[in-house]
Amino acid sequence: MGQLVFIGLGLFDEKDLTVRMVEEIKTANAIFVEMYTSLMPGFSMLRLEALVGKKVTQVSRHLLEDENGELILKAAKKGKVVFLVPGDPLIATTHVDLRIRAVQQGVATRILHGASIVSAVVGLSGLQNYKFGRSVTIPFPQSTFTSTTPYEVITQNQEMGLHTLCYLDIQAKAQRYMTIKEGLEVLLTLESRVENQVISLDTVVLGVARAGSPDPVVKAGSIKEVTNVEFGPPPHSLIIPGDLHFMEADALVTLAEGPEQLRKKAR
Amino acid sequence: MGQLVFIGLGLFDEKDLTVRMVEEIKTANAIFVEMYTSLMPGFSMLRLEALVGKKVTQVSRHLLEDENGELILKAAKKGKVVFLVPGDPLIATTHVDLRIRAVQQGVATRILHGASIVSAVVGLSGLQNYKFGRSVTIPFPQSTFTSTTPYEVITQNQEMGLHTLCYLDIQAKAQRYMTIKEGLEVLLTLESRVENQVISLDTVVLGVARAGSPDPVVKAGSIKEVTNVEFGPPPHSLIIPGDLHFMEADALVTLAEGPEQLRKKAR
């Protein structure tokens, strides 16, 4: 019986593979990788192939979503297939779908977890994990429709004093990655439409660029300030903090150059 | 100037170190590890030392929390120190505190992220990341006081249709790790005290044992059913699902042996 092993590549480059993952890949009959659900800024196919000593096939969104990953499933019925995915492999819904399909077709599955933006951004922020409410993706605005979901999620979390982690949209095919500045513009636009007085130029936010890379940038401040910070290349993420504990205020000031007055509002 | 590198060991054993982490450790002047914030069931100090070819010093909660990690900070002022932590290293609040202290004392810090229970349990469950509300730890009941926080967090999330990830308490010194069965007993006890009709024997829950190990167990069902499942050794985690999307119901049935009728409640 075949098997399909989901492997999480982590956040930056091929050296984020674990010792176990390298062993696992070396004994695989076929190796696939996708690079469209997240951006790994240091990743190189050539260096990956050199590290594992094998040929790796890159698969597209089309193959996974329109063709339901049939190429991968077909190979996994005949032998051991590894499927390399940025971050932690089953955070992307599309890969959960592939796993369900595999199990339903009699293919055994395993997961080797990698470092994920989900915990990395929380860790870099210094904010406490259990004080985050639900997270949300800020999508690129469309000419005809802009979703108000990010605004609603932030509002709901703020009412409970909780932090909001905002993932920023990715259009990998167009190599378009939303910046912190663009994300903040979307939020201000939503405020001007919904007018619930949740977001203003004085709202304190935290921008995180290139989490998991050797040169992450983490900066807290008002939207007015953070909009003008040069965060450098993608990927970017955004946090809208809720109520701050003393130590969280300390973290934002010390680790993220946040304004000293954050300490006054902490409790 | 010295530096302190926080390294996330991941979830199971020393082979969860990444290629980059092994390189980083090999060039360190001193190596510390803590093993009390999470349980890595396959971890061996001897095998870790063999893998990196260096002596590793294990530090206690006492050293980190009562003595503020002075031993580590002192070493980090003189050279490059790596500090190995289970999971993703800055999810534990105590390590954020150490990082703040380091920066305030002029020590540069870096983070190499590891796989975290935060994303691994979500991935194993097949539930969608952005539908999780805030998470909570279920603490061991005390003779004089049992916190109602877990009950309140679950109630709040349920009202919004969101899932709740419950971490289960760890008393590493006593080698005491809360099981799924014990966690469910705490929730039922809280229900009998608060009486908000949020938790009953028919409530659907998801137990996850040994996330990130070669033999994780993931089982969905009513509390009545899941209480009687033999999950095996720790660590254990618990999810209380909120409203289910079709694909989430599919995941619970296909990947977690959940009851077929979950599909009827999905939308």
Side-chain angles (χ1 to χ4, degrees), chain A residues 11-23 51 88 90-91 93-94 96-97 99-101 103-104 109-116 118-137 156 160 162 167 211-214 247 250-251 254-255 263, chain B residues 11-23 51 88 90-91 93-94 96-97 99-101 103-104 109-116 118-137 156 160 162 167 211-214 247 250-251 254-255 263:
Chain A
L11 296 163
F12 182 64
D13 71 3
E14 59 289 338
K15 283 194 180 175
D16 290 342
L17 284 171
T18 67
V19 174
R20 171 169 289 105
M21 290 172 184
V22 173
E23 289 180 3
L51 179 68
D88 201 10
L90 291 167
I91 291 301
T93 308
T94 177
V96 176
D97 191 46
R99 188 173 171 224
I100 292 173
R101 218 174 287 272
V103 171
Q104 285 171 343
T109 63
R110 283 188 294 129
I111 307 170
L112 300 190
H113 299 280
S116 170
V118 175
S119 61
V121 171
V122 173
L124 280 166
S125 75
L127 299 173
Q128 292 171 11
N129 181 49
Y130 70 92
K131 286 181 62 190
F132 279 79
R134 68 189 285 202
S135 55
V136 70
T137 295
Q156 205 178 45
M160 297 183 287
L162 301 177
Y167 304 106
S213 80
M247 209 185 79
D250 217 9
T254 309
L255 306 176
R263 296 189 201 270
Chain B
L11 296 163
F12 182 63
D13 71 4
E14 59 288 339
K15 283 193 181 176
D16 290 341
L17 284 172
T18 66
V19 174
R20 171 170 288 106
M21 291 173 184
V22 173
E23 288 179 3
L51 179 67
D88 201 9
L90 291 168
I91 291 302
T93 308
T94 178
V96 176
D97 191 46
R99 187 172 172 226
I100 292 173
R101 216 175 288 273
V103 171
Q104 285 172 344
T109 63
R110 283 187 295 129
I111 307 170
L112 301 190
H113 298 280
S116 170
V118 174
S119 61
V121 171
V122 173
L124 280 166
S125 74
L127 299 174
Q128 290 170 12
N129 181 50
Y130 70 90
K131 286 182 60 190
F132 278 78
R134 69 189 283 203
S135 56
V136 69
T137 295
Q156 205 177 44
M160 297 182 286
L162 301 177
Y167 304 105
S213 80
M247 209 184 80
D250 217 9
T254 309
L255 306 175
R263 296 188 202 269

Side-chain angles (χ1 to χ4, degrees), chain B residues 16-196:
Chain B
D16 290 341
L17 284 172
T18 66
V19 174
R20 171 170 288 106
M21 291 173 184
V22 173
E23 288 179 3
E24 196 77 65
I25 295 170
K26 284 184 174 169
T27 62
N29 299 109
I31 306 162
F32 297 97
V33 64
E34 67 87 356
M35 276 289 141
Y36 74 86
T37 54
S38 300
L39 173 66
M40 293 180 69
F43 181 80
S44 146
M45 275 290 270
L46 284 177
R47 284 198 304 267
L48 172 66
E49 291 184 334
L51 179 67
V52 300
K54 293 227 172 189
K55 176 94 190 72
V56 179
T57 305
Q58 185 163 351
V59 296
S60 63
R61 176 191 290 267
H62 173 73
L63 184 125
L64 280 163
E65 298 183 10
D66 304 335
E67 297 181 4
N68 299 323
E70 281 304 329
L71 182 72
I72 295 175
L73 291 175
K74 214 171 142 186
K77 284 175 195 163
K78 289 186 289 192
K80 172 172 156 181
V81 168
V82 298
F83 181 32
L84 310 177
V85 174
D88 201 9
L90 291 168
I91 291 302
T93 308
T94 178
H95 303 326
V96 176
D97 191 46
L98 179 65
R99 187 172 172 226
I100 292 173
R101 216 175 288 273
V103 171
Q104 285 172 344
Q105 296 180 24
V107 175
T109 63
R110 283 187 295 129
I111 307 170
L112 301 190
H113 298 280
S116 170
I117 189 84
V118 174
S119 61
V121 171
V122 173
L124 280 166
S125 74
L127 299 174
Q128 290 170 12
N129 181 50
Y130 70 90
K131 286 182 60 190
F132 278 78
R134 69 189 283 203
S135 56
V136 69
T137 295
I138 302 182
F140 280 114
Q142 316 243 301
S143 53
T144 50
F145 170 78
T146 306
S147 164
T148 55
T149 303
Y151 189 88
E152 288 153 17
V153 170
I154 292 167
T155 304
Q156 205 177 44
N157 285 336
Q158 289 287 329
E159 281 167 0
M160 297 182 286
L162 301 177
H163 313 317
T164 309
L165 170 49
C166 302
Y167 304 105
L168 302 179
D169 203 2
I170 290 179
Q171 293 176 346
K173 212 170 172 182
Q175 293 202 27
R176 203 174 159 216
Y177 303 95
M178 185 182 282
T179 63
I180 289 161
K181 187 183 165 77
E182 289 171 323
L184 292 173
E185 280 163 10
V186 172
L187 295 183
L188 288 170
T189 305
L190 290 175
E191 175 63 54
S192 71
R193 277 177 41 198
V194 187
E195 291 188 327
N196 254 342

